[in-house]
Amino acid sequence: MASWEPSGGCDPGPAFGVVAPEVIEDTLIDLATENEHYLSELSEHAGCFKETEIVEFIFLLSEKWHLDQSSKYQAVELFERFMIKQVEQMYKSSRDKAKSCEPRQGSSWSSLKDQIYNTFVLRLVSCVQLASKLSLHYNRVNSDTALKFLQSLKYSYTKQELLESELTVLETLQFQTNVSTPLAYVELLLEVLGHNRCLLPAKPLYQMCVELLDFSYLTRNTIYNTLLKIAVENSTPSKLQVAKFLTVKEDSMLLAVGIISTSCEAFKLYHWHYFTKYLRIFLRSTETHHRQHHSQAALSSSREQDYASQTQLSPAASSQQLAC
């Protein structure tokens, strides 16, 4: 966690070393708990809407509209979660209608897929709009700006349709839009390391982390496919191994650890092992706190072991991928 310096319209980056230790500790516990909760309820379709083309579209649009760093990641996460929920709801509705033996329902799912396809770009823009409104420091994308962009792509949506699209996203997500992104975990862990007297060049290291995080989003499948093959020591993982690896791909805390570790290596900080030792301690301590406040102690204990092994794999594997 880091505070943010006043901005004149550009993104100055966070200011490290100004947050009280008690606030950092509480935030660390909250983020670790949120991450654990998300992984425990993970959809089997997680990651399906984080394809390179989608991420690149959102990143470029965020840059065009001069949004801050966190907004573009939040837009990706909002779109991913919205699309998964929407597709699942539509599929369930189509299946229920088919079971009721209503006439001409054979084309129902096909019709719903067409609906998803026809509103795909509109939903993307709506998620970027919503992400911009969640930031208190930077530009908010209004309806006129969004409509002008859509018109440049030859879409003829009205302002009412744009507002209804935003409302559709909000209702589908049950207004749970305040999603913590991997960037929030990176900022928090850098702050924690700084308070533990690790001599990190915080701001340049932060910039390196952002660049690597962008890279990891844009090459997500390549990176995680490589990690999986290394983990199972097999170039053709089974479907079961791929399914079990999904929690690794969606683990924001683990990704943040890998990003920071790789950034340290890129900066040629020779105390790299010292930093990663601290990161592992933080991960274990937050998981211990989580176990003490939840009834499913056995499940948490099992995940802690998996988590520790993944943390040991991630820095080296991430560095190897960066070198490639």
Side-chain angles (χ1 to χ4, degrees):
M1 176 182 180
S3 66
W4 285 81
E5 298 172 346
S7 169
C10 60
D11 185 355
F16 292 98
V18 297
V19 181
E22 313 84 61
V23 176
I24 296 175
E25 182 179 358
D26 290 343
T27 307
L28 180 62
I29 292 171
D30 288 344
L31 282 182
T33 302
E34 179 184 338
N35 188 54
E36 188 79 10
H37 178 72
Y38 172 66
L39 294 176
S40 69
E41 298 185 345
L42 195 61
S43 167
E44 62 179 311
H45 305 297
C48 289
F49 294 96
K50 289 182 181 178
E51 295 295 328
T52 299
E53 293 81 4
I54 294 173
V55 173
E56 186 175 15
F57 181 97
I58 291 175
F59 280 13
L60 290 174
L61 188 55
S62 298
E63 184 178 358
K64 175 182 175 65
W65 286 340
H66 307 290
L67 304 185
D68 66 311
Q69 296 289 356
S70 63
S71 293
K72 64 183 182 184
Y73 301 121
Q74 195 145 45
V76 172
E77 299 301 329
L78 285 175
F79 182 74
E80 154 90 349
R81 298 185 189 203
F82 162 72
M83 288 301 299
I84 289 174
K85 283 185 175 292
Q86 184 190 49
V87 170
E88 289 177 345
Q89 289 172 3
M90 286 184 165
Y91 180 75
K92 183 178 183 299
S93 174
S94 174
R95 187 179 57 186
D96 291 343
K97 288 180 180 179
K99 287 180 179 179
S100 66
C101 299
E102 296 179 14
R104 291 185 296 178
Q105 286 302 323
S107 61
S108 176
W109 176 236
S110 177
S111 173
L112 291 174
K113 285 193 293 184
D114 289 341
Q115 181 183 339
I116 293 171
Y117 176 80
N118 293 334
T119 59
F120 197 83
V121 174
L122 177 61
R123 301 299 189 234
L124 273 170
V125 171
S126 293
C127 287
V128 176
Q129 269 192 283
L130 288 171
S132 76
K133 294 174 182 179
L134 293 172
S135 172
L136 301 178
H137 306 280
Y138 300 96
N139 299 327
R140 295 186 181 186
V141 180
N142 59 39
S143 297
D144 291 334
T145 301
L147 277 177
K148 185 177 179 180
F149 172 75
L150 287 168
Q151 288 167 0
S152 72
L153 300 179
K154 309 303 180 184
Y155 290 101
S156 56
Y157 292 112
T158 64
K159 184 174 290 188
Q160 182 62 32
E161 288 173 322
L162 190 61
L163 293 173
E164 288 175 356
S165 177
E166 282 191 83
L167 185 59
T168 297
V169 173
L170 289 171
E171 289 178 340
T172 302
L173 294 174
Q174 299 179 326
F175 293 87
Q176 296 178 9
T177 57
N178 192 19
V179 178
S180 296
T181 69
L183 182 63
Y185 291 83
V186 168
E187 292 174 353
L188 175 64
L189 291 177
L190 287 176
E191 189 71 60
V192 171
L193 290 172
H195 271 277
N196 282 272
R197 299 180 181 179
C198 293
L199 301 178
L200 293 169
K203 288 195 174 181
L205 184 60
Y206 172 78
Q207 276 308 126
M208 175 63 74
C209 286
V210 171
E211 292 177 12
L212 286 177
L213 193 55
D214 283 355
F215 178 77
S216 72
Y217 265 78
L218 290 166
T219 59
R220 183 175 186 273
N221 287 335
T222 301
I223 290 174
Y224 283 110
N225 287 343
T226 302
L227 285 174
L228 175 57
K229 291 174 183 178
I230 294 173
V232 301
E233 299 180 344
N234 193 326
S235 60
T236 55
S238 66
K239 290 184 178 180
L240 179 60
Q241 289 171 327
V242 172
K244 288 185 174 181
F245 197 69
L246 187 59
T247 54
V248 177
K249 296 175 69 173
E250 294 299 318
D251 193 326
S252 292
M253 184 72 83
L254 182 61
L255 176 58
V257 170
I259 291 294
I260 294 174
S261 300
T262 307
S263 297
C264 290
E265 183 70 12
F267 265 108
K268 298 186 183 300
L269 297 177
Y270 297 110
H271 297 293
W272 178 79
H273 291 293
Y274 175 67
F275 301 141
T276 53
K277 180 187 74 172
Y278 265 110
L279 290 171
R280 291 168 188 152
I281 291 173
F282 299 143
L283 288 175
R284 293 187 187 116
S285 65
T286 54
E287 287 177 353
T288 300
H289 183 279
H290 183 76
R291 290 200 310 277
Q292 292 172 344
H293 290 79
H294 293 75
S295 60
Q296 296 180 338
L299 177 60
S300 297
S301 176
S302 174
R303 181 163 289 143
E304 181 187 18
Q305 295 174 2
D306 292 341
Y307 210 107
S309 64
Q310 293 162 8
T311 305
Q312 292 169 357
L313 167 64
S314 180
S318 300
S319 297
Q320 182 180 28
Q321 179 64 31
L322 180 64
C324 294

